[in-house]
Amino acid sequence: MSRSIRRVVPALLSALLLAALLPPAALAEDSFYQPPDPLPAGAPGDLVRSRVSDNPPTRAKAKAWQVMYLSTNALGQRHAVTGTVLVPKDVDAKTAPVVGLAVGTHGPAFRCTPSRMIDVGALYEQPAVTDLLTRGYAVAITDYEGYRPEPRTTYTVGRSMGTAVLDVVRAALRLPGTGLSANAKVALRGYSQGGGAAMWAGELQPSYAPELNLVGVVGGGVPADLIQVALPLDGKRGYGLLATALMGLDRAYPELKLDDYLNDKGRSEYARMQREACTVELLTWYPNGRLADHTTTSPVLTPPWLARVRENKLGGNKIQVPVLQYHGDNDDLVYPPQAKELFAAYCRLGVNARWQGYPSDHITLVYTGNEAAHQFLADRFAGKPATSGC
């Protein structure tokens, strides 16, 4: 095992264990996360509220804020999203680049909110955050849609995740006290759910946030085609991810009516997931779960669901900046062939894209892919030309 792996794998285990063992009182309900009704006037990325925050692993390196900002959901409607902004203390903020970091799966329960995990030192992607800050980059991290005391998360819905990523970057640039420049160079990166979110943000940016000075996008373990990702998880250890994706689509698109497909056991278990499940629970509660155990009829291949899934398939729009896409050859949670199909689609669209494969499973690559991602970002911020792998 390499020195880098020995360094980061304990971080994963420690973060997941801490998140799983935190008593409910440690993550008591917090009114900061409840959006005001009605929402204030404003444009996407405008701040609703903010407060100084804490990030135990980096409190000596960075100033931190939790933010609530305006964004746009999958139906094009205004809503409010929360997140975290971190700015390194030892750099000139006016010249600091900004990374929109899209985190991976955290689970549907309110206690799993990424910014709350950051605040208690339980973010399993903390090594990536720390490395970005050490390199002198500000970091803007969205919680995605729906993390509030009565959670309605829209897990894997690209048209919601992409706007949330772009708007947390906007919020960081507009947040008083950061000192960041409105013209700062911006890059987007993420892994797993976050890889899909970063790619969605890249595809949406030219029309949705053209003012951002975007220079590069990195996505690892990307779930590009939800059908090809979801079906192999049925009956496998990733069933909890499949179930949460169904709940996410249902919340994003109310006409799907997931409850009509569930049996009594499914209603009970899916409600339990929404109340209690974070990453550990999603991967351990249902090691061989099956849709047939929780539904009277599977919704996955019905016309209404297929139509919404197709709307959230990556590869339909050109990303205008260089892209690095990486994936584990032995990925057991995000089907590798569909990721390679995304890369081929980007090449056909004329994207300056590069593919990097690893002899790795999904979870290990959360960490072992970081160095290549960081180098790609460093080159983009330095203005070096990117070599296409198409």
Side-chain angles (χ1 to χ4, degrees):
M1 182 180 289
S2 71
R3 180 180 302 173
S4 62
I5 297 175
R6 287 197 301 269
R7 178 171 63 89
V8 298
V9 169
L12 168 66
L13 297 176
S14 296
L16 292 180
L17 182 61
L18 178 57
L21 295 180
L22 279 171
L27 294 174
E29 290 196 2
D30 186 338
S31 61
F32 179 88
Y33 292 88
Q34 184 63 47
D37 185 15
L39 291 174
D46 282 354
L47 289 155
V48 176
R49 60 176 70 115
S50 65
R51 65 184 180 188
V52 174
S53 182
D54 190 20
N55 180 212
T58 59
R59 59 168 62 111
K61 300 176 185 288
K63 296 180 287 185
W65 296 262
Q66 289 176 344
V67 296
M68 177 181 283
Y69 57 93
L70 298 176
S71 191
T72 309
N73 69 15
L75 296 175
Q77 300 164 338
R78 299 171 75 245
H79 68 147
V81 180
T82 55
T84 293
V85 175
L86 297 152
V87 179
K89 294 178 179 179
D90 57 353
V91 301
D92 182 355
K94 295 190 298 295
T95 61
V98 180
V99 176
L101 179 65
V103 294
T105 302
H106 274 252
F110 179 51
R111 72 184 182 93
C112 318
T113 305
S115 62
R116 307 179 96 200
M117 295 292 101
I118 292 169
D119 210 35
V120 297
L123 185 75
Y124 65 82
E125 292 180 90
Q126 186 63 52
V129 175
T130 301
D131 286 346
L132 292 168
L133 294 171
T134 300
R135 291 168 183 261
Y137 311 150
V139 184
I141 305 170
T142 182
D143 291 335
Y144 304 120
E145 179 182 358
Y147 278 107
R148 55 195 188 192
E150 295 295 330
R152 294 194 58 80
T153 55
T154 55
Y155 180 60
T156 72
V157 177
R159 293 188 176 277
S160 173
M161 297 189 302
T163 53
V165 171
L166 293 169
D167 287 329
V168 79
V169 173
R170 284 169 155 165
L173 298 178
R174 298 171 190 175
L175 178 64
T178 65
L180 298 171
S181 168
N183 299 314
K185 290 183 178 181
V186 173
L188 311 170
R189 71 153 296 191
Y191 186 82
S192 192
Q193 177 191 8
M199 293 300 197
W200 267 106
E203 288 196 19
L204 294 172
Q205 181 268 333
S207 59
Y208 186 79
E211 82 283 4
L212 293 182
N213 183 14
L214 187 64
V215 298
V217 178
V218 180
V222 177
D225 183 330
L226 298 183
I227 288 294
Q228 290 193 56
V229 172
L231 292 179
L233 298 178
D234 195 19
K236 305 290 177 55
R237 75 173 179 129
Y239 173 77
L241 307 179
L242 166 57
T244 310
L246 294 179
M247 289 190 282
L249 284 161
D250 179 63
R251 294 189 189 112
Y253 305 107
E255 82 277 6
L256 295 182
K257 300 185 186 307
L258 176 61
D259 190 70
D260 290 352
Y261 297 87
L262 298 176
N263 58 29
D264 289 343
K265 181 180 179 181
R267 292 187 185 97
S268 175
E269 290 298 330
Y270 280 32
R272 180 189 179 209
M273 274 189 266
Q274 180 172 315
R275 290 192 311 270
E276 303 174 22
C278 295
T279 310
V280 169
E281 291 80 14
L282 292 178
L283 292 174
T284 58
W285 279 357
Y286 311 102
N288 300 295
R290 301 189 64 86
L291 276 175
D293 297 332
H294 293 140
T295 61
T296 55
T297 304
S298 173
V300 176
L301 298 178
T302 61
W305 284 78
L306 284 174
R308 290 305 192 181
V309 166
R310 290 190 188 102
E311 289 180 21
N312 289 277
K313 181 179 178 180
L314 281 165
N317 296 288
K318 182 179 180 180
I319 298 177
Q320 301 290 338
V321 297
V323 170
L324 171 64
Q325 186 184 352
Y326 63 99
H327 212 97
D329 299 333
N330 304 313
D331 194 318
D332 55 334
L333 295 176
V334 179
Y335 188 54
Q338 56 84 43
K340 289 188 175 181
E341 289 176 16
L342 174 64
F343 175 71
Y346 283 155
C347 288
R348 290 192 295 270
L349 289 169
V351 177
N352 183 341
R354 196 172 85 215
W355 173 272
Q356 187 159 339
Y358 290 83
S360 175
D361 61 30
H362 186 80
I363 291 177
T364 302
L365 197 56
V366 171
Y367 299 102
T368 53
N370 275 342
E371 188 54 41
H374 289 320
Q375 187 57 58
F376 182 85
L377 296 183
D379 288 346
R380 303 293 76 76
F381 288 141
K384 295 182 180 179
T387 302
S388 174
C390 295

